[in-house]
Amino acid sequence: MTPTLRTARLLLEPYRPRDEDRFVALFQDGRVSRWMGDGKPVPEADDRALFGRIFTKVYARRLFDVWAVRENGRYVGHAEIKPTEVVDGHEIVYALAPEAWGRGLGTELAEAVIGHGFGALGLEEVHATVTAANSASLALLTRLGFAYGRDIEEDDGTTTRCLTLARGDRHRWAAEEVRQVDG
């Protein structure tokens, strides 16, 4: 079961069915979706189906952890940590609504997911894949200690950058920065 995590300003908790419209709005926002997947817009129905699979597949089969991200009770983003063949390990994924940008919440969110990976999941390293043009996310991950691994040239001509953070490389990370909240 996906645990609830708390940081100084954020609550990461399993999605609830009533989050669907906010989830879809986040993924339909072109300022966000341009950095997700292949960066191309998808029909709203596809994002609604994706939301449904969080419950019917991911949570039901306990495949990996997926969170709704809230600040002061308000939905502001999405996060997950999942095994993926692209990096042959666990990848962190995060997205914040534009109104949450520029206040350090991305760093706080990424640290929470990384902390969960190193702590509760016992991982020795975590990975991130980022479109090479996403300079803000690349800068955030670099500040957190992620190191360049390799580039993947995509079929559409874009480049995806693969980054890795090993448990011992993250000097600022500390278990007390993220608390798992009992159900």
Side-chain angles (χ1 to χ4, degrees), residues 1 32 43 51 56 66 72 85 88 95 106 113 122 134 143 165:
M1 179 88 188
V32 175
F51 185 79
T56 62
V66 179
N72 298 320
E85 292 178 13
D88 194 28
V113 178
N134 189 344
R143 281 193 311 273
L165 176 66

Side-chain angles (χ1 to χ4, degrees), residues 23-53:
F23 173 92
V24 170
L26 176 71
F27 281 77
Q28 285 290 301
D29 188 316
R31 297 167 293 177
V32 175
S33 66
R34 72 182 284 207
W35 305 119
M36 306 297 288
D38 65 7
K40 295 183 175 101
V42 300
E44 181 179 322
D46 289 2
D47 284 332
R48 290 196 182 279
L50 176 62
F51 185 79
R53 285 192 303 275

Side-chain angles (χ1 to χ4, degrees), residues 115-179:
H116 177 69
F118 288 153
L121 299 181
L123 302 175
E124 290 301 316
E125 58 186 19
V126 293
H127 305 273
T129 58
V130 181
T131 301
N134 189 344
S135 58
S137 194
L138 288 170
L140 182 155
L141 294 166
T142 300
R143 281 193 311 273
L144 293 178
F146 278 79
Y148 170 81
R150 65 186 168 98
D151 284 343
I152 299 171
E153 298 303 321
E154 303 292 351
D155 292 339
D156 65 359
T158 61
T159 301
T160 297
R161 189 142 295 152
C162 299
L163 307 165
T164 301
L165 176 66
R167 179 190 294 267
D169 292 345
R170 181 69 173 100
H171 300 294
R172 287 183 16 199
W173 179 80
E176 62 271 7
E177 289 181 15
V178 179
R179 290 188 297 121

Side-chain angles (χ1 to χ4, degrees), residues 14-28:
Y15 275 99
R16 299 175 284 208
R18 68 178 181 237
D19 292 321
E20 181 176 357
D21 288 340
R22 290 186 253 342
F23 173 92
V24 170
L26 176 71
F27 281 77
Q28 285 290 301

Side-chain angles (χ1 to χ4, degrees), residues 86-110:
V86 172
V87 294
D88 194 28
H90 280 71
E91 174 184 14
I92 65 168
V93 177
Y94 56 89
L96 286 173
E99 60 270 15
W101 295 355
R103 298 187 288 124
L105 295 177
T107 300
E108 197 169 314
L109 175 55

